[in-house]
Amino acid sequence: MIKADPYAFAAIAAEQIVKGLGLTALPINPHTIAQAREIVVQGKPVEDKGCSGMLVRLGNDFAIAFATHLQNKGFENFSVAHELGHYFLPGHVEAVIQGEQGMHVSRAGFNSGDRYEAEADRFAAGLLMPRHLYFPAIEKAGSGLAAIEKLADLCRTSLHATAIRYTQCTRDPIAIIVSRGGIIDHCFMSEALKQLDGIDWLKKREGVPRNTATFAFNQVSTNIEHGVRLEEVSNIQHWFGGKRRIEISEDVVGLGRYGKTLTVLYDIDLPEPEDEEDEDNLIESWTPRFKR
Ligand SMILES: [Zn+2]
């Protein structure tokens, strides 16, 4: 059974705003949307590393501050879009800022257990990568990490946020894994991959499989800092278990100051379940039965 996505509404709300403003081409600039609402947006000093951004309220006036320490334009756009999520999503302003005056400090980036942070993240993804503009872009982008890089370039989004949105939107069976050292931070699988039988889910906080390119990559810290990228092959068993040894593609890239590694698993071409059953029957029908 596929679980309903409890945060999907937040991305849809953002897409409605993009449509309502008559924006018909990527990239969507969150600064323009803030301007349209007379929200002042300002970068924080690079030394200030505590959070991804802030929403400040003074009565009916709002301002947004965003972190610049990662020196990653994509992350900055996402941080501004996240704060816009708190501004636009029903109930958020009241929930995240007590009273008529004050501020909310955010940690954007898909790792929060907090409902409001998770909703604002999904809003940001929907705002910067609205499906009606993103689907046609995906069709033209190719596959693997190269596709994610192209889309990140087009949408001015970080590789990390792009990879997650791509996994939600693609029709291909793919998985993305974000890891640090030997530990998997998180993993997202596309719908098409979830439909496949005979593969296990990768879980948060599990180890990166030792016999993979990602594991070897993470042993060298400069690979991550310098944003080194690799295109390797792997085996579906290494990552997902199961009984089939099928070659897949494994692209790996260091995410720089973010301190993590992004892995993209794709070219996952599993045989149809019926074909396999037929094969089993065929083998059985050709196996002599001596033991009777
Ligand atoms: Zn927030």
Side-chain angles (χ1 to χ4, degrees), residues 55 86 91-98 103-105 114 116-117:
L55 181 68
H86 291 315
H92 270 237
V93 167
E94 297 74 21
V96 301
I97 300 175
Q98 303 298 320
M103 67 168 92
H104 161 73
V105 177
D114 179 83
Y116 293 101
E117 292 299 82

